[in-house]
Amino acid sequence: MDAIIVRYCEIHLKGKNRGFFEKLLRVNIEKSLAGIKHKFTAMHSRYLIEDFSEADYSVICEKLRKIAGVHTFSRVLVVPNDFDAIQNAAATLCKNRTGTFKIETNRADKTFQPNSVETSALIGGKMLELYGKNLKVAVKNADFTVNIDIREDGKTFIYSETEHGLSGMPVGSAGKGLLLISGGIDSPVAGFMTIKRGMKIDCIHFHSFPYTGEAAKEKVITLTKKIGEYNGGINLYVVPFTEIQEAIHKNCPEEYMITLMRRFMMRIAERLAVSLGDQAIITGESLGQVASQTIESITSSNSVVRMPVLRPVIAFDKLEIIDVANKIDTYETSILPYEDCCTVFLPKFPLIKPNLEKVVKNESNLDVEGLIERAMANIEKHSF
Ligand code: ATP
Ligand code: MG
């Protein structure tokens, strides 16, 4: 019989909270596997998934790869604590392999004889006897290791492959946040990184119909769905932004467009966040990347909100961000050439270092409150 062992790591460090983290991770895994036939058991420091069909094995692995808090997982053979059964299982793993190997035995069941060192040596010897044509023992730098884990409850796990999961913390262990998601490369990465640290996220997108069309919205929906797979489902709130942009365009100097737009985005995001019970705003800003991301610009947009603003990629280079975007498969979508509201009414010379007093003065030409209220009254919600 075979099974999958799922291990967690950082959770060990949480002292008294350990139970909370373990339970949350367990709930997240079970939710993610809902609809797939299997048996789930919590063991000491790990979980065991059994009784799945061969066809579902790769589906389960694909799910596990997207669960924050999963450190590693391995497909294991499960046999009773019986020397011959263990040896047969080891033979199954060694049968079609070539190169160097070693056996590593861990004996939690101290009544099991022979002891760990002897078990490794005996089974290693037997593997050479069976497959010595293709295999050699190597204590250091072996091509593969056959792990034998003899447990107290009468079961032994035998495995040779271990895959790394996302690590991080279980989603929901670090509260809730609202991600400002554009159609670009950076914000989906920022969202993913926050999720990975255990924050469950909602998404908000500002849409300037008809300047930005359906295709631009669809692109954001695709990106939201992709990061939603790590989040255990996700909600996207689309805010109509056209009236606000037109008002700025009409009443304020052109170079203030982006600066003022950002302040509206932050204010609306904070209000929505409060109404959703979200505790932070998350953006994909990266220091110095564009005019709107200088410290002066960030000061200007940050000064209209009181909620913490998390900027996970603030110190990342573009290439580092792209690297993560490729890993989470958002890059190809992000580079599709659709308009974003930031490219509408784009000034020739945006302010690089806006002066806060002047920003506030120019903003006073606008009915800030009325514009916000009307935008918020027409928010469209999508759930995935
Ligand atoms: P991204 O790659 O995420 O689009 P960017 O490098 O293009 O980022 P900006 O256009 O300056 O940078 O946007 C900075 C941040 O502002 C984005 O990362 C995102 O969090 C937020 N943002 C920008 N445009 C929108 C939008 N239309 N809706 C929601 N949030 C947005
Ligand atoms: Mg952008």
Side-chain angles (χ1 to χ4, degrees):
M1 183 182 78
D2 59 2
I4 301 169
I5 285 186
V6 182
R7 306 175 191 84
Y8 39 90
C9 168
E10 204 167 337
I11 300 170
H12 289 300
L13 308 174
K14 290 289 158 187
K16 273 196 222 142
N17 283 332
R18 183 176 161 153
F20 165 74
F21 285 89
E22 281 173 343
K23 193 167 160 225
L24 191 56
L25 181 57
R26 176 189 179 142
V27 167
N28 290 351
I29 296 174
E30 288 194 280
K31 264 191 202 159
S32 155
L33 299 184
I36 301 173
K37 188 190 151 289
H38 70 284
K39 184 178 153 212
F40 189 95
T41 319
M43 303 187 303
H44 183 68
S45 289
R46 51 205 156 158
Y47 306 113
L48 186 68
I49 302 169
E50 301 166 282
D51 296 343
F52 46 83
S53 74
E54 188 54 37
D56 282 338
Y57 170 69
S58 55
V59 182
I60 294 173
C61 291
E62 204 41 52
K63 300 269 184 199
L64 291 175
R65 288 182 191 114
K66 293 191 168 144
I67 299 177
V70 169
H71 183 54
T72 60
F73 56 97
S74 307
R75 185 168 195 167
V76 300
L77 294 169
V78 188
V79 298
N81 293 0
D82 168 84
F83 188 87
D84 289 338
I86 295 171
Q87 184 165 280
N88 288 340
T92 307
L93 295 183
C94 291
K95 198 171 173 182
N96 296 316
R97 304 206 53 159
T98 54
T100 57
F101 78 104
K102 70 172 173 179
I103 308 277
E104 234 171 62
T105 307
N106 172 28
R107 191 181 53 132
D109 171 11
K110 299 294 179 198
T111 66
F112 183 88
Q113 289 300 327
N115 71 23
S116 313
V117 177
E118 291 159 353
T119 301
S120 294
L122 287 168
I123 293 187
K126 183 69 182 180
M127 295 307 108
L128 286 178
E129 196 184 307
L130 291 170
Y131 308 115
K133 254 200 226 159
N134 300 326
L135 293 178
K136 255 198 200 148
V137 172
V139 182
K140 274 189 194 161
N141 301 323
D143 295 332
F144 71 100
T145 301
V146 175
N147 297 279
I148 299 174
D149 191 2
I150 305 167
R151 289 165 29 83
E152 276 163 324
D153 65 358
K155 283 181 186 166
T156 297
F157 301 133
I158 302 126
Y159 59 95
S160 62
E161 305 286 340
T162 294
E163 182 174 333
H164 275 273
L166 280 185
S167 293
M169 305 298 281
V171 173
S173 64
K176 286 176 67 196
L178 181 63
L179 171 71
L180 277 89
I181 188 165
S182 68
I185 299 168
D186 307 336
S187 40
V189 169
F192 162 74
M193 288 173 69
T194 313
I195 294 167
K196 189 171 167 260
R197 288 306 303 169
M199 184 171 270
K200 181 138 182 138
I201 67 167
D202 293 306
C203 291
I204 182 170
H205 176 69
F206 297 91
H207 187 56
S208 297
F209 190 78
Y211 302 107
T212 57
E214 275 305 305
K217 191 155 97 186
E218 280 306 316
K219 182 183 177 185
V220 172
I221 287 175
T222 305
L223 291 170
T224 303
K225 280 184 186 163
K226 282 186 189 266
I227 56 171
E229 289 176 26
Y230 298 90
N231 195 52
I234 201 157
N235 294 317
L236 169 68
Y237 298 85
V238 179
V239 183
F241 208 49
T242 316
E243 191 194 347
I244 292 174
Q245 284 193 292
E246 286 176 344
I248 302 173
H249 183 65
K250 203 169 136 205
N251 300 297
C252 307
E254 161 182 291
E255 65 271 24
Y256 282 84
M257 185 72 205
I258 293 184
T259 309
L260 293 176
M261 225 171 77
R262 282 271 178 271
R263 286 162 64 89
F264 275 96
M265 285 187 181
M266 295 299 269
R267 287 188 181 102
I268 293 171
E270 184 177 54
R271 290 193 199 186
L272 180 66
V274 168
S275 76
L276 297 173
D278 290 332
Q279 301 151 287
I281 293 168
I282 304 141
T283 77
E285 287 161 308
S286 164
L287 196 59
Q289 202 186 84
V290 289
S292 59
Q293 297 176 18
T294 60
I295 189 61
E296 290 80 2
S297 297
I298 290 175
T299 302
S300 153
S301 61
N302 207 127
S303 69
V304 294
V305 292
R306 294 179 59 190
M307 192 173 266
V309 180
L310 309 182
R311 299 179 176 87
V313 300
I314 194 73
F316 273 40
D317 293 340
K318 195 74 187 185
L319 287 177
E320 292 172 309
I321 298 173
I322 290 176
D323 200 39
V324 181
N326 274 318
K327 282 195 188 121
I328 62 170
D329 190 35
T330 53
Y331 182 71
E332 294 300 328
T333 307
S334 290
I335 59 172
L336 292 174
Y338 298 126
E339 296 269 294
D340 178 65
C341 74
C342 298
T343 54
V344 180
F345 304 121
L346 191 69
K348 276 197 205 81
F349 302 104
L351 289 179
I352 293 173
K353 298 187 173 187
N355 170 294
L356 194 52
E357 261 173 46
K358 288 187 192 162
V359 171
V360 173
K361 187 164 173 293
N362 280 297
E363 198 175 57
S364 67
N365 296 340
L366 302 169
D367 169 22
V368 173
E369 196 51 40
L371 286 165
I372 291 176
E373 274 170 21
R374 284 191 294 282
M376 293 209 58
N378 291 297
I379 292 180
E380 200 181 88
K381 179 181 175 185
H382 302 258
S383 297
F384 307 109

